[in-house]
PDB file of all heavy atoms in Angstrom:
ATOM      1  N   ARG Y1361     158.135  53.066  59.604  1.00  0.00           N
ATOM      2  CA  ARG Y1361     158.196  52.329  60.871  1.00  0.00           C
ATOM      3  C   ARG Y1361     157.239  52.922  61.893  1.00  0.00           C
ATOM      4  O   ARG Y1361     156.555  52.205  62.619  1.00  0.00           O
ATOM      5  CB  ARG Y1361     159.625  52.355  61.431  1.00  0.00           C
ATOM      6  CG  ARG Y1361     160.590  51.414  60.734  1.00  0.00           C
ATOM      7  CD  ARG Y1361     161.845  51.221  61.573  1.00  0.00           C
ATOM      8  NE  ARG Y1361     162.523  52.479  61.872  1.00  0.00           N
ATOM      9  CZ  ARG Y1361     163.441  53.025  61.076  1.00  0.00           C
ATOM     10  NH1 ARG Y1361     163.774  52.434  59.939  1.00  0.00           N
ATOM     11  NH2 ARG Y1361     164.023  54.160  61.409  1.00  0.00           N
ATOM     12  N   VAL Y1362     157.179  54.249  61.952  1.00  0.00           N
ATOM     13  CA  VAL Y1362     156.310  54.909  62.925  1.00  0.00           C
ATOM     14  C   VAL Y1362     154.846  54.636  62.606  1.00  0.00           C
ATOM     15  O   VAL Y1362     154.051  54.259  63.466  1.00  0.00           O
ATOM     16  CB  VAL Y1362     156.588  56.425  62.961  1.00  0.00           C
ATOM     17  CG1 VAL Y1362     155.512  57.153  63.755  1.00  0.00           C
ATOM     18  CG2 VAL Y1362     157.955  56.693  63.564  1.00  0.00           C
ATOM     19  N   VAL Y1363     154.464  54.810  61.338  1.00  0.00           N
ATOM     20  CA  VAL Y1363     153.062  54.679  60.943  1.00  0.00           C
ATOM     21  C   VAL Y1363     152.581  53.237  61.070  1.00  0.00           C
ATOM     22  O   VAL Y1363     151.454  52.980  61.491  1.00  0.00           O
ATOM     23  CB  VAL Y1363     152.854  55.201  59.502  1.00  0.00           C
ATOM     24  CG1 VAL Y1363     151.431  54.931  59.038  1.00  0.00           C
ATOM     25  CG2 VAL Y1363     153.152  56.691  59.447  1.00  0.00           C
ATOM     26  N   GLN Y1364     153.427  52.280  60.726  1.00  0.00           N
ATOM     27  CA  GLN Y1364     153.006  50.886  60.749  1.00  0.00           C
ATOM     28  C   GLN Y1364     153.069  50.276  62.147  1.00  0.00           C
ATOM     29  O   GLN Y1364     152.639  49.151  62.351  1.00  0.00           O
ATOM     30  CB  GLN Y1364     153.868  50.067  59.780  1.00  0.00           C
ATOM     31  CG  GLN Y1364     153.619  50.417  58.328  1.00  0.00           C
ATOM     32  CD  GLN Y1364     154.455  49.592  57.365  1.00  0.00           C
ATOM     33  OE1 GLN Y1364     155.489  49.046  57.736  1.00  0.00           O
ATOM     34  NE2 GLN Y1364     153.996  49.509  56.129  1.00  0.00           N
ATOM     35  N   GLY Y1365     153.553  51.028  63.125  1.00  0.00           N
ATOM     36  CA  GLY Y1365     153.692  50.492  64.470  1.00  0.00           C
ATOM     37  C   GLY Y1365     152.463  50.622  65.330  1.00  0.00           C
ATOM     38  O   GLY Y1365     152.514  50.302  66.506  1.00  0.00           O
ATOM     39  N   GLY Y1366     151.345  51.112  64.803  1.00  0.00           N
ATOM     40  CA  GLY Y1366     150.146  51.269  65.607  1.00  0.00           C
ATOM     41  C   GLY Y1366     149.934  52.709  66.034  1.00  0.00           C
ATOM     42  O   GLY Y1366     150.821  53.552  65.937  1.00  0.00           O
ATOM     43  N   ASP Y1367     148.717  52.991  66.526  1.00  0.00           N
ATOM     44  CA  ASP Y1367     148.354  54.363  66.870  1.00  0.00           C
ATOM     45  C   ASP Y1367     149.235  54.935  67.974  1.00  0.00           C
ATOM     46  O   ASP Y1367     149.635  56.104  67.929  1.00  0.00           O
ATOM     47  CB  ASP Y1367     146.883  54.418  67.295  1.00  0.00           C
ATOM     48  CG  ASP Y1367     145.955  54.191  66.115  1.00  0.00           C
ATOM     49  OD1 ASP Y1367     146.433  54.261  64.967  1.00  0.00           O
ATOM     50  OD2 ASP Y1367     144.770  53.932  66.335  1.00  0.00           O
ATOM     51  N   ASP Y1368     149.512  54.124  69.018  1.00  0.00           N
ATOM     52  CA  ASP Y1368     150.361  54.624  70.102  1.00  0.00           C
ATOM     53  C   ASP Y1368     151.747  54.979  69.585  1.00  0.00           C
ATOM     54  O   ASP Y1368     152.336  55.987  69.975  1.00  0.00           O
ATOM     55  CB  ASP Y1368     150.486  53.571  71.208  1.00  0.00           C
ATOM     56  CG  ASP Y1368     149.224  53.477  72.052  1.00  0.00           C
ATOM     57  OD1 ASP Y1368     148.303  54.284  71.825  1.00  0.00           O
ATOM     58  OD2 ASP Y1368     149.155  52.596  72.929  1.00  0.00           O
ATOM     59  N   ASN Y1369     152.271  54.142  68.703  1.00  0.00           N
ATOM     60  CA  ASN Y1369     153.594  54.389  68.146  1.00  0.00           C
ATOM     61  C   ASN Y1369     153.591  55.658  67.301  1.00  0.00           C
ATOM     62  O   ASN Y1369     154.552  56.431  67.323  1.00  0.00           O
ATOM     63  CB  ASN Y1369     154.033  53.191  67.304  1.00  0.00           C
ATOM     64  CG  ASN Y1369     155.532  53.146  67.102  1.00  0.00           C
ATOM     65  OD1 ASN Y1369     156.288  53.329  68.051  1.00  0.00           O
ATOM     66  ND2 ASN Y1369     155.972  52.918  65.886  1.00  0.00           N
ATOM     67  N   LEU Y1370     152.509  55.866  66.573  1.00  0.00           N
ATOM     68  CA  LEU Y1370     152.389  57.080  65.758  1.00  0.00           C
ATOM     69  C   LEU Y1370     152.394  58.322  66.645  1.00  0.00           C
ATOM     70  O   LEU Y1370     153.093  59.307  66.369  1.00  0.00           O
ATOM     71  CB  LEU Y1370     151.108  57.026  64.932  1.00  0.00           C
ATOM     72  CG  LEU Y1370     150.811  58.241  64.034  1.00  0.00           C
ATOM     73  CD1 LEU Y1370     151.920  58.459  63.024  1.00  0.00           C
ATOM     74  CD2 LEU Y1370     149.471  58.074  63.340  1.00  0.00           C
ATOM     75  N   LEU Y1371     151.635  58.280  67.735  1.00  0.00           N
ATOM     76  CA  LEU Y1371     151.596  59.424  68.642  1.00  0.00           C
ATOM     77  C   LEU Y1371     152.950  59.656  69.296  1.00  0.00           C
ATOM     78  O   LEU Y1371     153.376  60.797  69.466  1.00  0.00           O
ATOM     79  CB  LEU Y1371     150.521  59.195  69.711  1.00  0.00           C
ATOM     80  CG  LEU Y1371     149.079  59.367  69.224  1.00  0.00           C
ATOM     81  CD1 LEU Y1371     148.105  58.862  70.272  1.00  0.00           C
ATOM     82  CD2 LEU Y1371     148.791  60.816  68.884  1.00  0.00           C
ATOM     83  N   ARG Y1372     153.627  58.577  69.663  1.00  0.00           N
ATOM     84  CA  ARG Y1372     154.970  58.742  70.247  1.00  0.00           C
ATOM     85  C   ARG Y1372     155.925  59.349  69.224  1.00  0.00           C
ATOM     86  O   ARG Y1372     156.818  60.116  69.577  1.00  0.00           O
ATOM     87  CB  ARG Y1372     155.486  57.397  70.754  1.00  0.00           C
ATOM     88  CG  ARG Y1372     154.754  56.902  71.988  1.00  0.00           C
ATOM     89  CD  ARG Y1372     155.399  55.674  72.596  1.00  0.00           C
ATOM     90  NE  ARG Y1372     154.633  55.220  73.740  1.00  0.00           N
ATOM     91  CZ  ARG Y1372     153.705  54.280  73.717  1.00  0.00           C
ATOM     92  NH1 ARG Y1372     153.440  53.664  72.587  1.00  0.00           N
ATOM     93  NH2 ARG Y1372     153.046  53.940  74.806  1.00  0.00           N
TER      94      ARG Y1372
END
Side-chain angles (χ1 to χ4, degrees):
R1361 284 195 303 272
V1362 169
V1363 174
Q1364 292 181 338
D1367 290 346
D1368 285 355
N1369 200 46
L1370 179 60
L1371 285 169
R1372 290 188 182 95

